[in-house]
Amino acid sequence: MNLSDYYREENYIHYSNCHEDYLLLEKYVKNNMKEVLSVAGALDNSLSFLVHKNLRVHAFDCNPSQVKLGKLKICGIKNLSYKNFLILLGVQEGDSLALYNRIRKHLDEDVRKYFDEHLFLIEQGLVNIGRFEQYFHLFRKKIFPLVSGEKNIRAFASAKTLEEQQEIYAKKIKTIRFRLMFKIFFSKTLMAKLGRDKEYFKYSHENLPHILKDRVDSGFNNVLNLTNPYYGYVLNNYYQELPFYLKKENFTKIKANIQNITLEEKNFDDMLDRNYDFMNLSDIFEYMDNSKMSGYSDRIYEHLNKDGIVIFWNMMNVRSLSSLKRISGKNDWLSDRAFFYRDFLVYEK
């Protein structure tokens, strides 16, 4: 089986990495917090909360394949050294299949069965097998070199200062051809066909390339690619800067606290059965209409403890919570290293 066939399955891995900046979440963690609700996705950000030994993380996702990927990551952290965990994920070179075989006995039966039937996902490198990641790989390999040339792209990705990066972007990258390619490649039509499920665009009626282009312009002028794990991955198709949970000093803490995370195949509604101090909701409100979103505002308020924090991102659709006080500002927006989104929203009770 290849990845194209795999993406025709009913449930496949949409994201093999998280594409929201954990440092923005970390900024709002308070010392007295205990209970965290977190959208799983690829689980990276949910795991990152475990650098705090006092936090219990309740991660969830409605896609069973994402849950299985997350459980494999948890098992790898429990049972492998730092270096071997990076090899298992495909971040470093090595025998990832041998490492999978070493830990497979520790996996839940359904997770073991899934990856036994999809061993090619491990061989390809787990950080690269999400449909969204493959979309970026296609952009980097086939489209971006037509825009500016390999030499300019490498210089842009490895610029040592923001001033140097800004100059390369203005003179070598941001060409008429770049604007045209960007408009085509990041259109909803092509992205729904190759990068994201078409259902993700059900409630969006805005010009996606226009939204993304303005955000990318701001990001490339305010965030250094060399130290950016999110756009560094897009520009190189590998991590030149590791995301938070994969840095050695953070991995050590996460491993020590790994028993403090649970991961369940559930919808958001099902998780509102207790109160939380922090809710990391990714961009889940993108995929519902405004009336449903409005109904969640009161429910979130009811299940958030006093002084609790709710964070989510908007990309295509403008969503907000009426029942809580918004506390995020312009500096958060400018410093967001994962500048795929138009809004970064933080609310406090």
Side-chain angles (χ1 to χ4, degrees):
M1 181 183 288
N2 57 36
L3 284 172
S4 295
D5 293 331
Y6 173 66
Y7 298 144
R8 295 189 183 96
E9 294 185 3
E10 182 178 358
N11 294 301
Y12 57 86
I13 294 170
H14 291 257
Y15 309 100
S16 50
N17 305 283
C18 283
H19 297 281
E20 295 95 19
D21 189 353
Y22 176 75
L23 290 185
L24 292 181
L25 299 171
E26 173 71 12
K27 177 180 176 180
Y28 289 96
V29 175
K30 301 175 184 179
N31 290 335
N32 62 340
M33 289 180 166
K34 293 181 179 179
E35 305 292 333
V36 175
L37 177 65
S38 184
V39 172
L43 205 67
D44 308 357
N45 287 347
S46 302
L47 288 165
S48 295
F49 284 111
L50 296 179
V51 296
H52 302 278
K53 63 181 180 181
N54 57 303
L55 293 182
R56 292 186 292 271
V57 181
H58 307 268
F60 71 99
D61 204 290
C62 61
N63 182 339
S65 298
Q66 294 291 157
V67 173
K68 291 178 176 67
L69 173 64
K71 288 185 175 181
L72 178 59
K73 288 185 177 182
I74 291 171
C75 184
I77 292 171
K78 284 181 177 179
N79 295 286
L80 295 174
S81 67
Y82 174 66
K83 180 179 179 180
N84 283 340
F85 184 65
L86 294 183
I87 293 172
L88 175 71
L89 295 186
V91 175
Q92 288 188 5
E93 291 187 1
D95 193 343
S96 56
L97 271 182
L99 292 170
Y100 168 72
N101 285 325
R102 185 191 300 181
I103 67 170
R104 64 182 295 277
K105 64 184 177 183
H106 301 293
L107 293 167
D108 292 346
E109 184 178 354
D110 63 325
V111 180
R112 182 169 60 247
K113 183 174 185 294
Y114 183 83
F115 284 103
D116 283 352
E117 293 174 352
H118 297 88
L119 285 176
F120 77 99
L121 296 177
I122 295 169
E123 292 175 305
Q124 298 242 354
L126 288 170
V127 294
N128 300 315
I129 49 84
R131 191 169 179 231
F132 198 49
E133 284 74 21
Q134 284 297 306
Y135 194 63
F136 286 141
H137 282 271
L138 178 63
F139 177 74
R140 176 60 180 87
K141 291 177 181 177
K142 302 295 184 180
I143 306 300
F144 211 4
L146 299 177
V147 170
S148 186
E150 195 62 39
K151 182 179 179 180
N152 291 332
I153 295 171
R154 287 199 300 268
F156 183 52
S158 59
K160 299 293 192 298
T161 66
L162 200 54
E163 292 74 20
E164 180 186 357
Q165 179 176 300
Q166 290 168 347
E167 183 176 2
I168 296 171
Y169 183 56
K171 295 181 178 180
K172 303 293 186 180
I173 303 295
K174 193 179 172 183
T175 62
I176 294 174
R177 185 179 292 182
F178 174 74
R179 289 192 288 269
L180 178 61
M181 291 289 192
F182 194 97
K183 184 176 182 180
I184 295 171
F185 196 76
F186 291 102
S187 67
K188 286 189 286 187
T189 301
L190 197 59
M191 192 175 283
K193 182 177 177 62
L194 298 174
R196 306 183 95 197
D197 195 298
K198 63 181 180 181
E199 287 297 309
Y200 288 4
F201 301 94
K202 183 176 180 179
Y203 301 105
S204 173
H205 305 289
E206 296 195 45
N207 186 321
L208 179 58
H210 178 74
I211 295 170
L212 287 174
K213 184 62 170 62
D214 289 347
R215 190 67 188 97
V216 166
D217 273 347
S218 173
F220 282 144
N221 282 302
N222 288 285
V223 181
L224 188 64
N225 294 326
L226 185 63
T227 58
N228 185 349
Y230 305 99
Y231 270 85
Y233 179 87
V234 174
L235 294 171
N236 295 291
N237 283 175
Y238 63 85
Y239 284 127
Q240 60 183 12
E241 173 77 7
L242 291 174
F244 186 90
Y245 85 112
L246 289 182
K247 290 181 179 293
K248 188 172 184 178
E249 64 272 20
N250 296 329
F251 176 88
T252 301
K253 295 175 183 177
I254 291 167
K255 187 179 181 73
N257 300 321
I258 195 68
Q259 72 280 356
N260 292 340
I261 190 170
T262 59
L263 173 56
E264 299 180 89
E265 184 189 329
K266 287 186 175 180
N267 293 307
F268 181 44
D269 299 76
D270 301 324
M271 300 301 293
L272 295 177
D273 59 352
R274 69 179 75 202
N275 281 17
Y276 302 96
D277 300 298
F278 195 113
M279 295 186 185
N280 162 38
L281 300 182
S282 183
D283 63 344
I284 62 170
F285 300 126
E286 293 273 315
Y287 316 123
M288 61 183 70
D289 61 29
N290 265 320
S291 60
K292 188 171 184 179
M293 171 69 193
S294 298
Y296 276 126
S297 188
D298 289 340
R299 292 193 68 197
I300 288 171
Y301 183 89
E302 291 170 5
H303 290 281
L304 189 68
N305 291 327
K306 189 177 184 301
D307 299 321
I309 295 291
V310 178
I311 292 180
F312 61 93
W313 281 260
N314 289 333
M315 184 169 75
M316 298 173 290
N317 303 314
V318 177
R319 299 287 186 257
S320 60
L321 295 175
S322 59
S323 57
L324 300 166
K325 177 185 176 183
R326 183 176 174 183
I327 61 173
S328 53
K330 184 72 172 177
N331 287 338
D332 287 326
W333 190 84
L334 288 174
S335 64
D336 191 346
R337 297 175 299 166
F339 40 88
F340 306 100
Y341 301 94
R342 68 160 70 178
D343 296 318
F344 171 71
L345 299 110
V346 184
Y347 292 89
E348 185 176 40
K349 182 173 179 179

